[in-house]
Amino acid sequence: MKKLRIILAMIIVGTIGIFVEYINLPSLVIATARAWGGAAFMLLVMFCLRRQLHWDQIKKNAFFLIVSGISMGGNWIFLFESYKYVSIAIAILCDYMAPVFVIMLSPILLKEKITWQKTLCIAGAIYGMFLISGIVGNIEADIRGVALGLLSAVMYSSMVICNKKINDMDGIEKTFCQMSVAAVVIISYTLLTVDVGNLNFTKQSILLLIIVGVVHTGIAYLLFIPVISQLPAITTSVLSYIEPVVAILTSALILKQALFIQQIIGTILILGSTLLCEASPDLRKIFIRTK
């Protein structure tokens, strides 16, 4: 049942790109809706479960809660923005470079040397990135989308690292605080950079924004957050790779965003290398894929 919850959550999150594709609004607006919708849903769940906020723990972890919330918002913004320039599959694959970034920083973060096995993982993932980006070969790809996808991976890595610095907090309470910070930061930036008065909110876009906020964020997080700590980290890491597989399949079958042969090879290299990265005993201590 615990594994089934994670599988279902990853399937839900893996389909988010399809919904974003049909929302004709700036990525900042979509990220705002996701943060506010997710935070509101989490607050409703806490109210139903009669969970109270522990302000002493919130104050104790305030710095890392704020930084991780900002990183969460940045991850969503850059990922959604990436969808505008490249296919959903390529954007998701760029985002899944996060474990490689953690490995590259492991001498600083984990106080350990980079072994030859990890070096091969890094090299394999980076070469796979070159293949899907079109830098290698004769495939036309917008480098802006690849860069934004990689920035989303950097933000995700930052969020993961900060999460490991947060102590003695319930998973749902912690996620609510992070989403709330992300919501405040994103909406503040949106109001400063987007001409909100000229936005066209159709019935379709409003419905899709609600789905992205409540279903793809609130419900998905609620499914896997309570059971993450109850399963082996390697199990959670392996199951998390259902998300990019679902994203790639749905983008190809529904949106007709097919991958070229060299991009398929790049996909295998990235997913295989990052999976091996996450299989590292040291990384399992800090890196559990949560979207």
Side-chain angles (χ1 to χ4, degrees):
M1 186 62 181
K2 296 174 183 176
K3 293 181 181 178
L4 182 60
R5 289 179 60 165
I6 294 181
I7 291 171
L8 181 58
M10 292 302 104
I11 292 174
I12 291 173
V13 176
T15 62
I16 191 172
I18 299 174
F19 291 81
V20 172
E21 185 77 12
Y22 290 103
I23 300 176
N24 190 27
L25 291 168
S27 58
L28 282 172
V29 176
I30 301 173
T32 300
R34 184 177 190 187
W36 281 97
F41 184 83
M42 286 292 179
L43 183 61
L44 177 63
V45 170
M46 292 176 65
F47 176 78
C48 293
L49 297 177
R50 296 182 179 180
R51 299 273 186 90
Q52 294 183 346
L53 292 173
H54 298 85
W55 293 105
D56 54 336
Q57 295 301 325
I58 292 175
K59 291 178 181 178
K60 177 183 175 182
N61 296 287
F63 175 78
F64 289 110
L65 283 172
I66 291 172
V67 176
S68 61
I70 294 172
S71 299
M72 177 184 287
N75 173 253
W76 294 343
I77 290 171
F78 290 130
L79 183 60
F80 294 162
E81 192 71 14
S82 178
Y83 291 154
K84 293 183 178 180
Y85 302 103
V86 293
S87 68
I88 291 172
I90 291 177
I92 292 291
L93 289 170
C94 292
D95 186 51
Y96 261 73
M97 288 288 287
V100 176
F101 293 147
V102 174
I103 280 245
M104 293 171 71
L105 293 173
S106 61
I108 299 173
L109 298 177
L110 304 174
K111 307 300 181 184
E112 67 170 21
K113 296 180 179 179
I114 297 181
T115 64
W116 67 268
Q117 293 97 330
K118 292 179 181 178
T119 301
L120 287 178
C121 290
I122 293 172
I126 291 176
Y127 184 65
M129 180 55 57
F130 279 126
L131 289 178
I132 70 165
S133 68
I135 295 175
V136 176
N138 297 317
I139 296 176
E140 293 185 6
D142 197 320
I143 196 65
R144 289 176 296 179
V146 174
L148 288 165
L150 291 176
L151 282 174
S152 73
V154 171
M155 290 292 102
Y156 185 79
S157 300
S158 173
M159 184 181 71
V160 170
I161 294 166
C162 287
N163 267 322
K164 286 302 174 178
K165 302 292 184 180
I166 300 172
N167 300 311
D168 304 321
M169 285 193 71
D170 174 75
I172 294 178
E173 182 180 359
K174 178 174 67 175
T175 304
F176 167 71
C177 291
Q178 291 170 330
M179 285 187 182
S180 298
V181 171
V184 171
V185 171
I186 296 172
I187 197 170
S188 300
Y189 186 67
T190 299
L191 292 174
L192 290 173
T193 58
V194 177
D195 187 359
V196 180
N198 287 328
L199 294 177
N200 182 24
F201 288 93
T202 63
K203 291 181 180 179
Q204 175 178 299
S205 64
I206 293 173
L207 175 61
L208 292 178
L209 286 174
I210 293 173
I211 293 174
V212 167
V214 175
V215 179
H216 290 93
T217 308
I219 293 177
Y221 273 64
L222 185 63
L223 281 171
F224 64 71
I225 284 176
V227 299
I228 280 178
S229 60
Q230 301 173 25
L231 290 171
I234 187 62
T235 300
T236 307
S237 295
V238 171
L239 291 177
S240 72
Y241 277 78
I242 293 173
E243 179 197 345
V245 172
V246 170
I248 292 169
L249 289 176
T250 53
S251 67
L253 298 176
I254 298 177
L255 300 178
K256 308 302 180 183
Q257 298 177 340
L259 293 173
F260 295 94
I261 293 298
Q262 78 171 51
Q263 290 177 319
I264 294 174
I265 296 172
T267 299
I268 295 171
L269 284 172
I270 291 173
L271 295 183
S273 297
T274 53
L275 181 57
L276 289 175
C277 284
E278 292 189 14
S280 164
D282 296 300
L283 280 184
R284 287 205 302 267
K285 296 175 184 177
I286 73 165
F287 209 105
I288 297 177
R289 189 83 192 177
T290 55
K291 296 298 288 181

